[in-house]
Amino acid sequence: MYTITKRGLLHFVAAGLLGAVGFGHTALAADYPTGPITMLVGYGAGGQTDLVARATAKVMAGELGVPINVVNKPGAGGAVAARDIAKAKPDGYTMLFHSNSVINSAPFIMEQVNYTPEDFEYAGMITAYQVGMATQKDRPFNTITEYVDWAKKNPGSSYGALSPEARLYITEIAKQNGLDVNIVPLKSGSEMINALLGNQVALAFSGGIHYRYPDELKTVSALTTFRHTSAPDVPTIEEEGYPLGMDSRTTLILPKGTPRPILDRLAGALKAAETDAEFAKITEAANIPIKYFGVDAANKEMRDSYAKNKGIMQRAGLISN
């Protein structure tokens, strides 16, 4: 006779529960989605992130067969929206489309933000930012070195920043060179463009949307680890002696615990944007590079960039460990 021991019974029950959970997740993904999805954007309307988010939502809605409603929720460089996502139900119906900088750099700059890559789930990435410092075409400086010389002669000049990361760059440059710079807080890429075109600031942090105005604006520095395809002759900030180059990508961020089948479903819909003609038209008009990452690649990028950026902050003396 076969006897079921207590330990064997527990193993049997545990296996059954795990199987039920796995089946439940698979069934959930098979039915998902059955209703509208909310896509939060952590910046105001009109900027590069908002532009790409709306184009992405349109493609994904077509793939998923349900509406995707874009809701702008600016504040603290995206941290306000990220907080809402962290508290949202992990069912795939609320997600954040935002720069991954809100997770891989903001926590090192903002005391009230302590996110790590493990606090969220990721359903992929779709575009890379040509993050840089932009100014008016007729300004008498074309590099950071030339800007520093100009700023010393023009104390109190204004710099437009829409995130903690944006403030980091100018703060470090000013500290190393003894500059007096007035930081002007901005809420969106469109506000940044208006501030530049209206000569309200002499320099501004841009996620790349300034490339849409080649006759009025120019790039002073590429704040990435690579030179921009839209301005290949402009040196990176690291080439000019400041070890601060950080890369960022638009990322689909979801609450911790969102089932993997749902993440894969969303990532598959996101991938459709990679070859969508209308999406390409919108991104090409704004000089935005398309670079799709799936779930696993996005997770790796989040963890790798978090570690790299932490090292940058440590070397800059902004964090101790």
Side-chain angles (χ1 to χ4, degrees):
M1 179 182 293
Y2 180 75
T3 303
I4 298 179
T5 65
K6 183 177 181 181
R7 176 177 293 180
L9 179 61
L10 288 174
H11 285 171
F12 178 80
V13 172
L17 288 174
L18 287 174
V21 170
F23 177 78
H25 281 180
T26 301
L28 181 63
D31 294 335
Y32 172 86
T34 59
I37 296 171
T38 296
M39 176 188 282
L40 300 183
V41 177
Y43 295 134
Q48 173 178 321
T49 303
D50 178 68
L51 178 76
V52 178
R54 293 178 187 278
T56 300
K58 184 177 180 180
V59 174
M60 291 184 67
E63 292 292 310
L64 297 171
V66 298
I68 296 181
N69 303 315
V70 177
V71 178
N72 296 94
K73 192 156 192 177
V80 171
R83 178 198 62 199
D84 286 357
I85 287 297
K87 296 178 180 178
K89 187 176 180 180
D91 58 5
Y93 288 96
T94 306
M95 58 187 175
L96 171 63
F97 186 94
H98 199 72
S99 165
N100 58 352
S101 63
V102 71
I103 297 168
N104 68 14
S105 61
F108 306 122
I109 306 169
M110 301 175 66
E111 292 184 1
Q112 66 271 39
V113 179
N114 57 1
Y115 304 128
T116 69
E118 288 72 27
D119 292 327
F120 302 92
E121 307 289 353
Y122 309 98
M125 301 172 170
I126 190 61
T127 61
Y129 290 86
Q130 292 190 107
V131 180
M133 289 184 174
T135 189
Q136 295 84 12
K137 198 84 168 184
D138 57 359
R139 288 284 179 181
F141 50 84
N142 296 294
T143 64
I144 289 296
T145 301
E146 293 177 1
Y147 165 74
V148 168
D149 291 340
W150 177 87
K152 287 179 178 179
K153 301 172 185 176
N154 295 271
S157 62
S158 296
Y159 170 87
L162 52 79
S163 69
E165 180 186 1
R167 295 183 181 88
L168 162 70
Y169 294 106
I170 197 63
T171 298
E172 286 303 299
I173 291 171
K175 183 171 66 176
Q176 291 186 41
N177 295 284
L179 304 182
D180 174 18
V181 179
N182 176 36
I183 298 178
V184 177
L186 303 170
K187 292 183 179 180
S188 69
S190 59
E191 279 196 12
M192 180 273 297
I193 291 296
N194 290 335
L196 281 173
L197 295 180
N199 284 300
Q200 298 166 19
V201 296
L203 190 67
F205 174 95
S206 169
I209 197 170
H210 67 282
Y211 283 119
R212 296 173 65 183
Y213 304 86
D215 295 331
E216 296 91 356
L217 304 175
K218 63 183 177 182
T219 304
V220 172
S221 176
L223 301 179
T224 50
T225 60
F226 56 89
R227 288 197 179 195
H228 297 171
T229 55
S230 299
D233 295 330
V234 176
T236 68
I237 194 167
E238 294 193 344
E239 288 177 309
E240 294 211 64
Y242 303 91
L244 300 171
M246 294 185 283
D247 301 334
S248 56
R249 304 175 187 277
T250 50
T251 306
L252 275 183
I253 304 168
L254 287 97
K256 185 69 177 180
T258 302
R260 175 62 188 255
I262 288 180
L263 298 178
D264 287 335
R265 182 88 169 91
L266 290 170
L270 179 66
K271 183 173 176 56
E274 187 179 31
T275 54
D276 184 83
E278 188 62 27
F279 186 82
K281 185 184 300 184
I282 291 171
T283 53
E284 287 173 6
N287 294 289
I288 300 171
I290 298 173
K291 181 69 174 179
Y292 171 78
F293 283 180
V295 175
D296 292 328
N299 271 279
K300 184 178 186 303
E301 173 65 17
M302 286 302 309
R303 285 155 178 74
D304 289 350
S305 61
Y306 181 88
K308 180 181 186 297
N309 294 350
K310 183 176 182 179
I312 288 175
M313 304 299 176
Q314 288 173 329
R315 288 192 296 274
L318 299 177
I319 56 175
S320 57
N321 52 53

